[in-house]
Amino acid sequence: MERRQSCGWDVDTDLVVRARKGDRAAFGLLAAELAFRFLAVSRKIVRDVDLAEDATQQALVAIWRDLPQLRDPARFDAWSYRLLVRACYAEGRRYRQWSPNLRILPADEPSESRPLDAIIQRDQLETAIRRLSAEHRTVLVLHHYADIPLERVAQILEIPLGTVNSRLHHAMRAMRAALDADARPVAAEGFR
Amino acid sequence: MTTERDSRTRIVLSWLREDANQDAEPVLLRALDEVDLTPQRRSWWPAVRVAQIRRVRIVIAAAAVLVVAIAGYKLLPRLSSIGEPSSPSAPPSPARTFTHPDAVKPRPIPSGSMAPGTYLVSDPTLTLRPYSVVVPAGWIGGDGASRGDAFEGTGVELTTWLITHVYADSCHWTGTLVPVADTAALVAALTAQVGHAHSAPVATTIGGLPATKLTLSLDAPSDVTGCEVAGHVHIWPAPGADESGGWAMIPGETITAYIIEKSPQLMVLMTVQHKDSPPADVAGLQQILDSVEFQP
């Protein structure tokens, strides 16, 4: 059984091959491996719990549906991330800037144990990341959160490596700037 | 300065890498439920290969017929000149063209990059009647087709919505839902809606169906910071007064809505563009709109 690691997690290619042939039990195991990571990554991209859940669900179903079209199981990791990113973009387009029932990300809830400065800092970072375009945010999350090498990020997003570098540079600069003393006020809730 | 920059980078990366413990099991179970109802799309490439082989055979056969015809044409006058005059030839039969069915068969719109071609939208949660649409290269599929950065207010999009309610006030929308049951009610609600500009309604046709065209626009310098959620206005909720979704407009956005009624239901086919949308994308959007064809 071949196991490999190229996008930050182990992909059991045997499960991929079986699922590709229509084995639902194998897909169930594969999906169980993916679900937590996909949910975490999509939350970082769309910045909303509900949208992230929808994007993750859509991505898993799309993986099942289109798996027979994946000719090389060794490319599963990049391919599946690509479907997740597309699902995030689709959710964002569908519900852009629309979140009257927004569930705040648990990690962003202020707690009494956190000093005020830290809370303000987190607000500034949250503001900054929401102001990034989805494309910039995606590069930032895939590389710095999912720990995917830039070359693989370029493959996932089907864009040149130079574009990945440029987006990452722009995104990091914007995030760092948010920590400046004159950081902008907290952004409105919602997905941008 | 370098130290400050490194320190800020560390803070950003530390914040980015934080994990929130969210239970993925409900999502997984919902996905697997949906998978149970979802057939896999079998690989397309063997079919293409078969089609290609068939096409090669057709081409070889056609070439053979052509060779025989040319040879015959060259030979016939000589044979005729030897013997009796030839009889007048019969009029040529109309040329038969071969169109591969895959070339015109509409496909469902994918979620993500779209290959150029004809697509069919038939999901009853998106449209009251199935419609086909021709999309050029470089567009992204979803509920319709879009291009550009929809998040930054430069994108363009063609999409549809089923509409049952409209907000009376698009800026302070809570508690202002108005049910709309027919075209007249929807036009009245949208033209009376507070918070944006609109055109006069115009009777027209779209994709072969009678429709009412109405343009809604929110000027780029509009101040919507004082709205219920700063930055945008809400036009209508998802069908059934589901306020967890719906359509929101941002400053600089223009919606051209084609209202279509299939009593007792209403839908809009709409194009969306922004003040800074590239002209080429706007032209592409118009091209896509012009290609829309509703099925009978």
Side-chain angles (χ1 to χ4, degrees), chain B residues 20-227:
Chain B
N21 295 318
Q22 188 181 343
D23 184 8
E25 191 177 337
V27 181
L28 175 64
L29 294 177
R30 285 202 301 271
L32 293 179
D33 282 347
E34 200 174 336
V35 161
D36 282 341
L37 304 171
T38 305
Q40 286 187 312
R41 286 180 187 154
R42 305 320 302 180
S43 181
W44 51 267
W45 62 271
V48 170
R49 281 177 53 198
V50 169
Q52 284 171 342
I53 291 166
R54 283 182 184 153
R55 269 200 290 273
V56 168
R57 285 179 182 159
I58 289 168
V59 169
I60 291 171
V65 168
L66 194 62
V67 168
V68 170
I70 291 171
Y73 175 78
K74 287 186 174 175
L75 206 56
L76 274 175
R78 278 188 235 151
L79 291 174
S80 302
S81 63
I82 294 169
E84 309 236 336
S86 61
S87 59
S89 58
S93 60
R96 297 183 67 179
T97 55
F98 172 75
T99 307
H100 193 273
D102 286 348
V104 293
K105 187 180 174 187
R107 295 159 282 182
I109 288 184
S111 182
S113 300
M114 302 172 81
T118 306
Y119 291 86
L120 180 69
V121 179
S122 57
D123 183 341
T125 65
L126 296 176
T127 181
L128 297 177
R129 279 175 190 263
Y131 71 90
S132 62
V133 64
V134 181
V135 179
W139 288 68
I140 303 293
D143 296 336
S146 66
R147 185 175 167 83
D149 195 335
F151 308 98
E152 291 297 304
T154 58
V156 292
E157 184 171 3
L158 178 135
T159 188
T160 53
W161 274 86
L162 305 190
I163 297 181
T164 59
H165 294 74
V166 169
Y167 291 104
D169 184 339
S170 64
C171 184
H172 300 281
W173 53 84
T174 297
T176 69
L177 276 180
V178 177
V180 288
D182 55 30
T183 300
L186 178 54
V187 168
L190 288 174
T191 53
Q193 194 173 48
V194 176
H196 57 76
H198 61 82
S199 69
V202 176
T204 184
T205 59
I206 186 73
L209 289 182
T212 301
K213 180 180 174 183
L214 189 64
T215 301
L216 311 180
S217 56
L218 193 59
D219 288 343
S222 298
D223 181 10
V224 288
T225 53
C227 288

Side-chain angles (χ1 to χ4, degrees), chain A residues 91-126:
Chain A
E91 280 302 304
R93 277 195 302 278
R94 180 72 170 164
Y95 292 102
R96 69 211 173 97
Q97 304 177 349
W98 180 277
S99 50
N101 299 322
L102 180 71
R103 279 196 273 152
I104 302 294
L105 303 184
D108 299 335
E109 287 173 353
S111 94
E112 288 180 7
S113 61
R114 284 187 191 143
L116 184 60
D117 283 354
I119 294 171
I120 292 172
Q121 198 171 71
R122 301 171 69 78
D123 278 347
Q124 290 168 339
L125 289 168
E126 185 63 36

Side-chain angles (χ1 to χ4, degrees), chain B residues 207-285:
Chain B
L209 289 182
T212 301
K213 180 180 174 183
L214 189 64
T215 301
L216 311 180
S217 56
L218 193 59
D219 288 343
S222 298
D223 181 10
V224 288
T225 53
C227 288
E228 200 163 317
V229 171
H232 49 95
V233 298
H234 286 191
I235 307 299
W236 54 69
D242 174 5
E243 296 188 79
S244 63
W247 191 264
M249 282 177 85
I250 58 174
E253 181 172 321
T254 299
I255 296 173
T256 304
Y258 294 85
I259 301 167
I260 296 165
E261 185 174 337
K262 185 182 174 191
S263 187
Q265 291 178 288
L266 286 170
M267 69 173 281
V268 293
L269 173 83
M270 62 192 216
T271 60
V272 184
Q273 64 187 77
H274 297 88
K275 177 179 155 286
D276 296 322
S277 297
D281 290 353
V282 174
L285 180 64

